[in-house]
Amino acid sequence: MFIFNKFIVKETQMILDLLFPNRCIHCNRIIDSDVLVCNVCFEQIHFTHFEFSAENNLKEKCKLLFPIENAFALMQFEQENLSRKIIHELKYRSREKTGKVLANWVTDRLDFKNAKPDLLLSVPLHPKKEKERGYNQLHLFAKTLSEHYKIPHEKDLMKRNHYSKAQALRDKKDRLEIENTFSLTKNISDQHILLIDDVFTTGNTLSTIAWEILKGENNKVSVLVMAMDE
């Protein structure tokens, strides 16, 4: 029965691929079902080439807000570039699987070396926001990283206490005001936590969470984001 069901699923997917082929989100060219962009458009993505344990622009920005160990950003989040379109596909167009693709791009580029974190913590959505979107855009991303690097992902360790509109719908002045607060669901200590978010803009969200974590004895914080806004 299991083999039969697996066959049905495979056949159904083949039919869907024929009727509704996957297309590059940038140029609309037909591409394989498990990728986001064609090879030509892939070359247009502005990857940062940061080293996790070295000094970089993201780490410098975080230092102004909270004590940080290391930092990594996958892409530059510039106006009208492809990375912005990719993030918007993930967050606002119900393409949750984009998170897995992005995670695979990270694993191709990120080596923790001797600074491997103890725990992965993705920024939580308010339950109302998660219900509206249908998923947390960071969970599949973090889960894929967790499986690759063999680091536990504690998606319920932090909760968001207040509901607010999406960052993309708020102007820069609004984002400078910290309206959302976070709290830990359990006490932690002696942990090196890797905070995961989609885009680093002002850094206020990550800073709020980081200071909650740093209340625990001997905790350390590092940061990983899909993209970094200049």
Side-chain angles (χ1 to χ4, degrees):
M1 180 62 73
F2 175 76
I3 295 175
F4 179 74
N5 288 339
K6 193 173 182 180
F7 174 77
I8 293 296
V9 170
K10 185 176 181 180
E11 287 293 306
T12 301
Q13 186 60 54
M14 289 177 62
I15 293 172
L16 290 173
D17 289 343
L18 287 172
L19 295 176
F20 308 102
N22 188 38
R23 293 181 179 274
C24 174
I25 65 172
H26 192 52
C27 71
N28 211 36
R29 185 181 285 116
I30 294 176
I31 54 178
D32 292 342
S33 60
D34 58 346
V35 297
L36 288 174
V37 295
C38 67
N39 291 334
V40 174
C41 292
F42 182 81
E43 297 300 320
Q44 299 179 38
I45 299 173
H46 297 169
F47 292 107
T48 66
H49 306 292
F50 287 168
E51 288 187 27
F52 182 69
S53 55
E55 297 298 313
N56 56 60
N57 289 344
L58 177 58
K59 184 174 180 179
E60 290 301 314
K61 288 177 181 290
C62 289
K63 279 182 179 179
L64 300 175
L65 301 170
F66 58 90
I68 185 169
E69 297 296 311
N70 299 296
F72 178 85
L74 177 65
M75 304 177 291
Q76 297 288 352
F77 195 68
E78 300 158 346
Q79 286 289 343
E80 305 305 323
N81 76 355
L82 186 49
S83 63
R84 183 177 292 269
K85 187 176 291 188
I86 290 170
I87 299 297
H88 279 222
E89 287 287 316
L90 172 64
K91 294 180 69 173
Y92 307 118
R93 297 187 183 274
S94 301
R95 293 190 59 158
E96 184 180 10
K97 291 184 179 180
T98 298
K100 185 172 184 178
V101 176
L102 289 169
N104 290 333
W105 291 352
V106 169
T107 59
D108 288 341
R109 294 164 174 78
L110 173 58
D111 184 354
F112 289 119
K113 298 182 180 177
N114 297 322
K116 185 176 178 180
D118 301 309
L119 207 60
L120 305 183
L121 171 59
S122 50
V123 173
L125 290 177
H126 188 273
K128 181 180 178 181
K129 177 67 69 61
E130 187 163 346
K131 185 176 180 179
E132 289 173 353
R133 186 171 292 170
Y135 58 94
N136 181 319
Q137 73 273 10
L138 297 174
H139 283 175
L140 184 57
F141 177 76
K143 179 177 182 290
T144 305
L145 295 178
S146 173
E147 292 171 351
H148 177 84
Y149 292 111
K150 310 300 181 188
I151 304 173
H153 171 218
E154 291 276 1
K155 64 184 180 67
D156 297 320
L157 179 60
M158 185 74 62
K159 67 177 182 177
R160 188 186 290 258
N161 299 319
H162 304 293
Y163 176 84
S164 71
K165 58 186 177 181
Q167 286 274 47
L169 302 178
R170 302 167 63 189
D171 60 32
K172 190 170 183 180
K173 182 178 179 180
D174 285 340
R175 291 199 301 267
L176 291 173
E177 299 175 6
I178 304 176
E179 297 176 353
N180 301 315
T181 57
F182 301 85
S183 58
L184 288 166
T185 57
K186 63 180 179 181
N187 294 325
I188 54 171
S189 59
D190 301 303
Q191 295 289 296
H192 178 192
I193 308 294
L194 181 63
L195 286 182
I196 296 175
D197 203 0
D198 44 34
V199 181
F200 182 97
T201 50
T202 63
N204 285 329
T205 296
L206 289 175
S207 178
T208 305
I209 295 175
W211 283 112
E212 286 297 312
I213 292 170
L214 292 169
K215 290 176 183 178
E217 187 175 359
N218 297 323
N219 286 333
K220 298 185 293 184
V221 172
S222 290
V223 166
L224 186 157
V225 294
M226 297 173 179
M228 176 182 172
D229 195 342
E230 290 294 332

